[in-house]
Amino acid sequence: MTETPQRNSPDSGPGKSPLSKRGGGDPGTRGRTTIADGVVEKIAGMAARDVVGVHAMGSGLSRTFGAVRDRVPGGGKSVTRGVKAEVGESQAALDLEIVVDYGVAISDVARDVRQNVVAAVERMTGLEVVEVNIAVSDVKLPDEDDDEDDGESQRVQ
């Protein structure tokens, strides 16, 4: 790196570097970072699925369409199913639709989902999560067939 000789100017004096005017301060604060709604939805979806007692995400209809999409080559599982995020400059609000396992305390599962989602989103994005609304759309009974099974075990004996 080559240094330029310091010239006497009104801005340069004792303790001032000729480079102090470049860039406007700390490089980490230059520019703006935007985070798409879909990014927050993925983070929240993964965090919600990690909670014990959450069987699936989304309503019955969205899970049915998702199961069809999962069977299409290249479709893959949708992590954002059942999650809607609104992201501002510094805050985010989330709506989640979940299916819980039969026998769990729904209020405990909802609390754990909120805590896990808020922690994950705030840690990964730096956004303040102002609310996490949870709608429980169904309860998975032990004797019910799973909508998201691929059906292989039933067709092939």
Side-chain angles (χ1 to χ4, degrees):
M1 182 168 150
T2 313
E3 289 191 6
T4 330
Q6 187 173 356
R7 296 188 181 118
N8 287 335
S9 70
D11 292 320
S12 64
K16 291 198 175 189
S17 163
L19 300 178
S20 64
K21 291 180 91 178
R22 285 192 186 170
D26 178 29
T29 61
R30 297 178 199 170
R32 203 171 107 199
T33 302
T34 57
I35 300 172
D37 293 0
V39 172
V40 174
E41 289 170 357
K42 283 184 179 183
I43 295 168
M46 292 297 293
R49 283 174 176 77
D50 285 344
V51 174
V52 174
V54 174
H55 177 75
M57 301 287 295
S59 67
L61 185 61
S62 71
R63 289 195 330 265
T64 301
F65 283 129
V68 170
R69 187 180 59 241
D70 293 346
R71 289 189 177 101
V72 174
K77 288 198 180 249
S78 175
V79 179
T80 61
R81 185 183 313 149
V83 182
K84 178 68 181 136
E86 293 180 32
V87 180
E89 287 186 28
S90 62
Q91 295 179 328
L94 294 144
D95 295 320
L96 282 74
E97 190 171 1
I98 65 173
V99 176
V100 298
D101 291 320
Y102 177 79
V104 299
I106 293 174
S107 59
D108 292 346
V109 172
R111 182 194 64 235
D112 293 346
V113 167
R114 262 188 204 92
Q115 289 174 342
N116 213 30
V117 166
V118 168
V121 171
E122 287 185 347
R123 179 179 53 83
M124 292 182 70
T125 65
L127 296 169
E128 175 192 5
V129 177
V130 293
E131 66 181 4
V132 177
N133 300 312
I134 298 173
V136 179
S137 62
D138 201 359
V139 174
K140 167 66 170 77
L141 300 175
D143 59 343
E144 284 181 332
D145 288 336
D146 203 356
D147 291 339
E148 295 180 5
D149 282 347
D150 59 5
E152 291 294 323
S153 61
Q154 295 156 350
R155 291 186 288 181
V156 180
Q157 295 290 330

